[in-house]
Amino acid sequence: MISLSSVSKRFDGKRQVIALDAVNLHLEKGEMVSLVGPSGSGKSTLLNLIGGLDRPSEGDIRIDGTLLRGISDDELTRIRRDKIGFIFQFFNLLPTLSCLENVSLPLHLRGWPAAKINDRARELLSLVKLEKRLDHLPEELSGGERQRVAIARALSVYPPILLADEPTGNLDSNTGVEILGLIRELHERLGATVLIVTHDRGVAESCPRQIALKDGHIVMDKKG
Amino acid sequence: MRLLRLISWQYVRKHLLRTVLTMAGIVLGVAVFVGMHTANQSVLSAFNKTVDRIAGATQLQITAGESGFDEEVLERVQAVPGVRVAVPVIEAVVNLNLKSQGNILVLAVDMTGDRGLRDYDLEEGDDTVIEDPLVFIAQPDSLMVTREFASANGLVINSKITLAAMDGPRTFTVRGIMKSSGLTSAFGGNLAIMDIYAAQKVFGRGRKFDRIDLAANEGVAVPDLQKQLSGMLGAGYEVESPSARGKQFESLSSVYGMLANITSLFALFIGMFIIYNSFAIAVTQRRSEIGIVRALGATRGQIQTLFLTESAILGLIGAGVGLLFGLLIARAISASLGNFLGEIYGVAQKADEVSSDPRLLFGALVMGVVTSVIAAWIPARAAAGVDPVQALQKGRYQQLSAGENRVRRQVAAGLFVVVFFCLFFAQNRVIFYSGYFLTVIAGLLLVPTMALWLSRAIRPVLKFLRPVEGTLAADSLIQSPRRTSGAVSALALSIALVISLGGMARASYNSIDEWMRIALNPDMFLTPTQNITDRSFRFPASFAEEIRQIPGVKYTQVVRNARILYKGNPVMFVSLDVANLRPESYLPAIQGDSKTMYRLAAEGKGFIVSDNFAELYKVKYNEPLVLNTPNGRLALPVVGIVRDYSDQKGSVLLDRAVFVKYWNDDSINAVRVYLNSDTPIATMKARIEEKVAGKTRLFIFTNQDLKTYIIKITDQWFGLTYIQLAVAVLVAILGIINTLTVSITDRRRELGVLQAVGALRSQVRGTIWLEAIAIGVIGLVVGLFFGSVALYYSLEMSARDIAGLWLDYTYPWGMAAGLFPVILGAALFAALGPAEQAVRGGLVEALEYE
Ligand SMILES: Nc1ncnc2c1ncn2[C@@H]1O[C@H](COP(=O)(O)OP(=O)(O)O)[C@@H](O)[C@H]1O
Ligand SMILES: [Mg+2]
């Protein structure tokens, strides 16, 4: 489903940073994988590369068999559209749109008909138990509720891949557990491949496969 | 200073594009100001030089308006003891139909005495010709041309030139070619010298001269001689130094100077908005930075000074760049201006070099800096008011608070009350203009509110059109009224200007159309000149009678019009045989009664004046108009005021008998011909040409020709004002670019999210485009509304202070509709760059952007 071969990412600022150094990685369809590592070890960079938000300095990335190298920005966007759902640490909801509109956003962008969009958005919001908050603006919600909206948005197109970058990083621990439970439930129901960055040992260990990064290298890859 | 380098420079470097755009208004305003005034000055100085060259050693010139005076005046002047030399002159403009030339100025002189004043430095040819002026005179077909003219047209000594004279075609012989220097450089060499007595016949001037050029005896004070001559000749004659003639030309070009001022003021005014907007945005964006600096010990005063210094530097740089541009465009403008003003003189005046007055340039720099500092004043105060503690707490940008908006609305409402009262006392100039000024201020105060309401109103529309892109575009506007209202204000102002000018143009066309229908109802116009406004050639008085006898001619009306100095200004006097005027040609009276006034005028008992004349010279109905003529004082009452568009600076109608009596001039400029309805125009044209053929110089214009010509002139006039529109629209575009550039910075994260969840680049561009279109629509709606008010004031203004023309208020709906595609197109164009920038940035940074 996802495969990286010798992927490196350098940032050429005033000082050159090697965020990822020749990483090889292969994720099967339907896997649920946790990614841990100290801050600055390259976790977000890895996720951004897989999600096509950024391009590697070297190496090849394949998503569902498609090689990302050499394709245009718009083709990259199309792959992201069809295959990938993102959940961010800082939710990244659009502040002027209601919950329903935020969840509908990806569907609108794909040009779905209005009625179908409405059905799907409502369905997902009830899946994350926010069916009573359809017309609220993000600023009227709690942190956990916002992240649930973000999850609903990420899942709105039933993406085969779900990428979550510290989804509980900005939430208190109870809410964090709740959100993770939700992600796991959705993983089981929709069968999506899930890659989740986390600082929480418990969360990491509860995943069938665990990967650890350090200084841009994979230092552990453990199954079961 | 250190603060400036540390803080401002960093910010400027980071926002270079925006800084450049911010200066654009100043650059444009200053460029237009410098360009137009430099061009104007250059053309005027070139013209003055020309006048000097033609004047030679002339110290005083005697004129009596355009109609000239009798030959005997020359003898009287020559008899005055202090006069060393006095020579007669006729000036005329001729089109010689030679390949490389337009019009040429013919200076007709008396060679016997003239060389006492002018030096005709001949370069080649039979020197005996001029050595003995009698030979030149003995051959009245002699012509002297300039080296430039001769070369351009392949002329040599003894070349022949045929000229259609008033008494039939005449062949002239080139008997002298003047060296390139002094005199010959007048009008770029488009100058020829002819014998004055030949010229009287060629141009149909009878036994009259246009002018006497004279020089005083050594030891005689020129001012004393001037007084003596004035006293002897009477008030009907002007005795002036040659340079005074340049002044008259200046008065004709003053309208142009005013236009230049309005245009540049307008550009600067809009520029002020853009600067205000940029600084207001910068202050909100730099809040935390200001907070830090304040926390580190900077005083409020220092912060304010920092921002004001920034704006002053910005203004100075903008003005400097504008100055350079201005000098560049001055050359192009002076060419077109030379042609435009040349139409008044007859021969195009080229400005050989663009000379700029250091005071003008300095003034322009000051203007740029002052504008910029004024614009930054309020944001600078806001910056000084930033509370360090609050600013350091992370949070969203401070937004235009509801309270602030309410205060604006209240102030605006208060101003409108004042404006309302101003309207009642609008006769007073100061109150009228104050009212206008306050209306503009009140309108601008309301812009944020209107922009907000309109943004809310179009959100559903945009949402319907494009659910994601549209909604986000509208939300972007609603979220940042401060960012939006700057661009909207600038745009609305320029649209208001377009509407008010367009409205004026339309009103003018309507009125001119109506006037042409009544005043220009003859079927044909016969003139001795190729150009209907040129009066160099004139028919003899008997000419009309000849025409009347042609079968098919119902009746004729002779016209003699001339510019005559009234209170020092050249005013168009139109003399007609009023008794012979048919009632269908009577113009409706604005004051007085149409029938009565034409009857009184026919009896020689009064003048009928145009409304713009009355307005400009403060002449009242029924009060006497006093003129000093070559035959003494003429005082007749104004028996009626009509709407007449014969001349931009007003016109006076009088009976032909009165004109002939007081100006000793029975020549004719034009014959208006009315035909029996059964004869086709073409047949009549042929008949007239046949009758006149070979005997008289004649040009025939049909009614349609003349109308086309007048519309063309009007188009040209308004065409000139369209430069203003171009400037306004350009500045507005820059305003939109500026706003959008800020908008995409503010919305960087949002746009990143959009792309992360699957928006294609075209969709991201779409939202920026829609935002631009929304700004355009809002600017249009507000601007079209402002325009309705501005049109009212413009019409009033034109009536009071510019042309003295009262025009009816008609809103130019067609133009308003036409503006939609233009402005929306411009908005889209403005959005191209920012939209590209929006899709170009890195996604990862955008998402982490705080
Ligand atoms: N846009 C960027 N420019 C420069 N350096 C970056 C950028 N993004 C990440 N880095 C650097 O790359 C390294 C890995 O960053 P990241 O993937 O965000 O780490 P993590 O998510 O594991 O905390 C860090 O040293 C970080 O400073
Ligand atoms: Mg990270």
Side-chain angles (χ1 to χ4, degrees):
Chain A
M1 192 72 202
I2 301 172
S3 89
L4 286 74
S5 62
S6 334
V7 169
S8 299
K9 178 69 184 175
R10 283 189 307 274
F11 291 104
D12 302 312
K14 285 193 189 108
R15 244 170 266 117
Q16 203 189 51
V17 180
I18 300 175
L20 285 180
D21 195 3
V23 169
N24 291 300
L25 180 64
H26 188 83
L27 301 190
E28 289 300 334
K29 189 171 157 68
E31 267 191 296
M32 177 146 176
V33 183
S34 69
L35 184 58
V36 295
S39 173
S41 57
K43 307 180 295 291
S44 298
T45 306
L46 184 66
L47 236 64
N48 291 339
L49 290 179
I50 295 173
L53 293 178
D54 208 350
R55 291 171 186 264
S57 311
E58 269 145 38
D60 286 340
I61 301 173
R62 280 173 202 277
I63 302 293
D64 215 1
T66 314
L67 183 62
L68 299 190
R69 192 175 47 183
I71 67 174
S72 74
D73 283 357
D74 274 351
E75 281 165 326
L76 203 57
T77 304
R78 277 181 216 283
I79 289 174
R80 188 160 64 234
R81 250 186 193 191
D82 298 335
K83 306 256 158 80
I84 293 162
F86 261 109
I87 302 172
F88 304 94
Q89 180 180 352
F90 296 105
F91 323 133
N92 274 335
L93 298 175
L94 298 190
T96 59
L97 301 184
S98 68
C99 293
L100 193 67
E101 286 171 328
N102 261 298
V103 175
S104 310
L105 197 64
L107 307 172
H108 276 301
L109 290 170
R110 284 159 180 76
W112 283 25
K116 209 172 145 199
I117 291 176
N118 204 22
D119 291 348
R120 173 66 70 87
R122 280 166 191 278
E123 175 200 326
L124 280 159
L125 279 168
S126 52
L127 208 62
V128 297
K129 306 189 184 64
L130 280 175
E131 60 274 28
K132 300 230 167 60
R133 296 273 190 276
L134 298 182
D135 294 321
H136 284 59
L137 290 176
E139 64 185 20
E140 296 162 343
L141 301 177
S142 71
E145 285 173 321
R146 288 183 206 181
Q147 195 57 299
R148 268 145 61 192
V149 177
I151 293 172
R153 183 180 66 187
L155 295 175
S156 59
V157 288
Y158 294 162
I161 299 168
L162 184 63
L163 303 175
D165 194 350
E166 300 187 37
T168 59
N170 254 13
L171 302 173
D172 61 60
S173 54
N174 280 344
T175 322
V177 170
E178 199 181 304
I179 291 293
L180 275 167
L182 189 58
I183 291 178
R184 182 161 311 141
E185 189 189 326
L186 295 171
H187 161 68
E188 279 155 13
R189 263 173 64 176
L190 303 174
T193 311
V194 176
L195 181 55
I196 181 166
V197 173
T198 180
H199 280 301
D200 188 317
R201 285 188 78 83
V203 171
E205 280 164 9
S206 69
C207 288
R209 181 175 172 192
Q210 298 148 36
I211 297 173
L213 269 181
K214 192 167 184 234
D215 294 336
H217 296 278
I218 293 182
V219 292
M220 180 196 82
D221 190 344
K222 187 171 79 179
K223 271 184 208 178
Chain B
M1 258 300 135
R2 156 126 347 134
L3 213 54
L4 199 70
R5 222 186 60 215
L6 275 176
I7 299 178
S8 312
W9 179 235
Q10 291 305 322
Y11 185 80
V12 167
R13 258 182 37 189
K14 212 167 137 203
H15 300 93
L16 199 58
L17 176 70
R18 199 201 304 167
T19 310
V20 169
L21 289 174
T22 303
M23 283 190 296
I26 300 275
V27 172
L28 259 173
V30 170
V32 168
F33 181 82
V34 170
M36 289 177 96
H37 278 289
T38 301
N40 202 8
Q41 282 177 356
S42 305
V43 170
L44 282 180
S45 91
F47 182 77
N48 286 333
K49 253 187 233 157
T50 297
V51 168
D52 278 354
R53 282 166 188 157
I54 293 181
T58 303
Q59 287 170 316
L60 289 173
Q61 294 184 325
I62 300 172
T63 53
E66 215 178 82
S67 63
F69 44 78
D70 294 339
E71 284 178 351
E72 54 90 19
V73 176
L74 179 64
E75 282 154 39
R76 284 165 59 202
V77 171
Q78 282 169 336
V80 173
V83 174
R84 176 170 67 84
V85 51
V87 295
V89 177
I90 287 180
E91 271 181 13
V93 175
V94 182
N95 189 321
L96 289 176
N97 289 326
L98 289 174
K99 60 176 194 303
S100 74
Q101 236 67 27
N103 288 350
I104 174 167
L105 180 76
V106 171
L107 192 66
V109 298
D110 182 353
M111 220 18 99
T112 0
D114 208 79
R115 288 190 315 145
L117 288 180
R118 272 172 279 264
D119 182 13
Y120 300 100
D121 209 6
L122 290 185
E123 81 169 6
E124 59 183 270
D126 193 352
D127 255 334
T128 58
V129 174
I130 307 296
E131 277 315 316
D132 185 358
L134 289 175
V135 179
F136 194 88
I137 303 163
Q139 298 164 291
D141 64 336
S142 296
L143 202 62
M144 277 196 280
V145 296
T146 64
R147 174 74 268 166
E148 290 87 342
F149 187 80
S151 304
N153 295 290
L155 299 176
V156 293
I157 293 293
N158 289 330
S159 289
K160 309 273 185 225
I161 296 176
T162 304
L163 189 60
M166 285 320 299
D167 50 357
R170 277 172 174 246
T171 302
F172 283 83
T173 307
V174 176
R175 292 233 160 73
I177 292 177
M178 295 177 274
K179 275 186 194 151
S180 293
S181 68
L183 182 60
T184 67
S185 47
F187 290 122
N190 284 343
L191 180 79
I193 312 291
M194 181 189 280
D195 176 61
I196 194 162
Y197 301 100
Q200 285 179 335
K201 298 204 181 66
V202 169
F203 300 108
R205 300 300 179 87
R207 303 197 62 94
K208 298 186 88 180
F209 300 137
D210 281 352
R211 205 169 81 206
I212 293 171
D213 285 5
L214 63 92
N217 272 324
E218 216 141 309
V220 175
V222 176
D224 292 344
L225 184 61
Q226 182 175 6
K227 253 185 229 129
Q228 194 189 347
L229 287 168
S230 285
M232 178 188 84
L233 295 169
Y237 292 80
E238 295 267 327
V239 184
E240 298 262 30
S241 65
S243 60
R245 286 190 71 203
K247 296 269 154 34
Q248 278 183 37
F249 190 73
E250 255 165 60
S251 95
L252 285 172
S253 76
S254 67
V255 177
Y256 177 83
M258 186 151 144
L259 190 75
N261 287 340
I262 294 177
T263 309
S264 43
L265 267 182
F266 198 79
L268 282 178
F269 195 54
I270 297 180
M272 201 153 101
F273 266 86
I274 296 180
I275 293 178
Y276 164 78
N277 198 25
S278 295
F279 270 86
I281 292 165
V283 169
T284 46
Q285 286 186 339
R286 291 159 73 179
R287 258 183 98 223
S288 60
E289 192 185 283
I290 297 166
I292 294 170
V293 179
R294 285 273 285 127
L296 293 177
T299 63
R300 280 173 196 275
Q302 279 175 318
I303 297 290
Q304 186 165 359
T305 313
L306 175 75
F307 276 91
L308 290 179
T309 314
E310 256 181 55
S311 71
I313 292 175
L314 200 75
L316 192 66
I317 297 175
V321 175
L323 214 98
L324 292 180
F325 272 121
L327 291 177
L328 279 179
I329 56 174
R331 196 163 279 279
I333 298 178
S334 72
S336 79
L337 181 63
N339 284 331
F340 179 69
L341 295 182
E343 214 149 278
I344 296 164
Y345 202 85
V347 183
Q349 176 63 60
K350 290 185 202 103
D352 316 323
E353 65 218 41
V354 174
S355 56
S356 34
D357 183 351
R359 276 172 308 173
L360 178 84
L361 302 186
F362 182 73
L365 281 182
V366 171
M367 213 164 66
V369 174
V370 169
T371 310
S372 184
V373 171
I374 291 177
W377 195 265
I378 297 175
R381 289 226 358 222
V386 165
D387 182 282
V389 181
Q390 271 182 23
L392 289 175
Q393 291 165 351
K394 278 230 161 172
R396 299 178 67 188
Y397 298 135
Q398 190 184 8
Q399 301 209 329
L400 192 64
S401 64
E404 193 180 335
N405 231 345
R406 196 170 52 241
V407 172
R408 280 167 187 251
R409 278 200 297 271
Q410 283 162 354
V411 174
L415 287 179
F416 277 127
V417 173
V418 178
V419 166
F420 188 69
F421 281 106
C422 282
L423 285 181
F424 280 100
F425 303 99
Q427 301 92 317
N428 182 309
R429 218 179 143 109
V430 175
I431 294 184
F432 171 78
Y433 281 104
S434 311
Y436 191 10
F437 181 71
L438 293 180
T439 310
V440 174
I441 300 294
L444 289 173
L445 285 173
L446 280 184
V447 167
T449 305
M450 290 197 271
L452 191 59
W453 287 347
L454 287 167
S455 305
R456 293 214 179 103
I458 58 176
R459 189 182 191 263
V461 181
L462 287 176
K463 186 177 179 179
F464 172 77
L465 287 175
R466 308 251 89 205
V468 178
E469 299 96 310
T471 316
L472 292 178
D475 286 341
S476 165
L477 297 181
I478 295 170
Q479 288 301 303
S480 294
R482 175 169 279 160
R483 192 175 70 211
T484 314
S485 53
V488 168
S489 306
L491 188 58
L493 276 176
S494 54
I495 290 169
L497 183 82
V498 175
I499 286 297
S500 70
L501 277 173
M504 275 188 24
R506 222 193 95 162
S508 307
Y509 281 110
N510 285 348
S511 311
I512 288 173
D513 216 52
E514 172 68 9
W515 168 76
M516 286 197 298
R517 199 178 57 71
I518 300 173
L520 298 185
N521 57 7
D523 300 303
M524 277 183 192
F525 298 80
L526 311 186
T527 68
T529 49
Q530 246 161 347
N531 181 325
I532 196 106
T533 52
D534 178 21
R535 294 176 296 278
S536 286
F537 291 87
R538 277 167 230 149
F539 292 126
S542 59
F543 181 70
E545 194 48 44
E546 282 178 50
I547 299 298
R548 199 170 12 244
Q549 285 160 6
I550 298 173
V553 172
K554 196 154 122 204
Y555 65 97
T556 59
Q557 171 69 255
V558 300
V559 185
R560 167 73 175 116
N561 49 0
R563 269 186 207 287
I564 286 170
L565 289 185
Y566 176 70
K567 293 188 174 165
N569 296 290
V571 172
M572 183 60 77
F573 276 67
V574 181
S575 77
L576 295 174
D577 184 2
V578 181
N580 187 20
L581 207 60
R582 307 289 153 112
E584 57 267 27
S585 309
Y586 288 178
L587 289 166
I590 293 175
Q591 277 190 60
D593 167 67
S594 191
K595 268 206 176 116
T596 322
M597 73 191 187
Y598 279 102
R599 181 174 52 74
L600 287 170
E603 290 165 7
K605 287 181 185 155
F607 293 116
I608 297 176
V609 305
S610 69
D611 56 350
N612 51 343
F613 177 83
E615 190 71 32
L616 289 172
Y617 298 100
K618 305 291 162 221
V619 171
K620 301 238 161 52
Y621 173 58
N622 257 340
E623 284 178 13
L625 193 70
V626 182
L627 287 167
N628 293 310
T629 77
N631 285 340
R633 203 177 110 105
L634 168 62
L636 288 176
V638 171
V639 292
I641 297 180
V642 295
R643 224 165 249 194
D644 184 83
Y645 301 95
S646 305
D647 198 82
Q648 266 183 25
K649 296 237 150 184
S651 57
V652 176
L653 176 86
L654 73 170
D655 191 57
R656 181 165 166 77
V658 177
F659 183 81
V660 171
K661 182 173 160 205
Y662 281 88
W663 279 272
N664 287 341
D665 182 354
D666 68 350
S667 65
I668 297 171
N669 292 124
V671 178
R672 301 178 175 182
V673 181
Y674 294 82
L675 303 174
N676 289 325
S677 49
D678 50 355
T679 333
I681 297 266
T683 316
M684 286 310 298
K685 225 172 155 171
R687 270 189 213 167
I688 293 173
E689 267 161 4
E690 189 194 355
K691 166 127 189 181
V692 173
K695 277 194 289 179
T696 291
R697 188 185 158 91
L698 175 71
F699 296 89
I700 302 178
F701 297 90
T702 64
N703 187 293
Q704 196 51 51
D705 291 340
L706 194 67
K707 282 182 180 164
T708 312
Y709 175 77
I710 289 173
I711 294 290
K712 202 184 98 197
I713 296 280
T714 317
D715 282 345
Q716 262 176 14
W717 174 242
F718 281 108
L720 211 62
T721 64
Y722 278 111
I723 295 175
Q724 211 158 333
L725 309 187
V727 169
V729 170
L730 194 60
V731 179
I733 289 180
L734 293 172
I736 294 185
I737 295 182
N738 196 356
T739 302
L740 289 179
T741 310
V742 176
S743 170
I744 60 167
T745 319
D746 287 356
R747 294 170 65 194
R748 218 173 140 204
R749 187 190 192 115
E750 176 184 312
L751 296 174
V753 171
L754 210 57
Q755 281 171 289
V757 302
L760 296 174
R761 288 191 300 176
S762 57
Q763 289 170 317
V764 175
R765 284 192 199 105
T767 179
I768 305 293
W769 288 340
L770 283 174
E771 184 172 350
I773 291 200
I775 294 177
V777 169
I778 295 170
L780 271 166
V781 172
V782 177
L784 292 179
F785 169 66
F786 281 4
S788 67
V789 181
L791 177 56
Y792 164 79
Y793 280 105
S794 296
L795 290 173
E796 286 281 318
M797 232 161 77
S798 91
R800 286 156 186 266
D801 292 312
I802 302 175
L805 292 176
W806 290 98
L807 300 166
D808 297 326
Y809 187 103
T810 25
Y811 194 82
W813 289 109
M815 170 165 244
L819 275 176
F820 270 83
V822 173
I823 295 296
L824 296 187
L828 268 184
F829 178 74
L832 287 181
E836 265 338 282
Q837 223 181 319
V839 296
R840 218 184 296 131
L843 268 183
V844 177
E845 289 90 339
L847 289 168
E848 284 164 359
Y849 196 78
E850 265 299 276

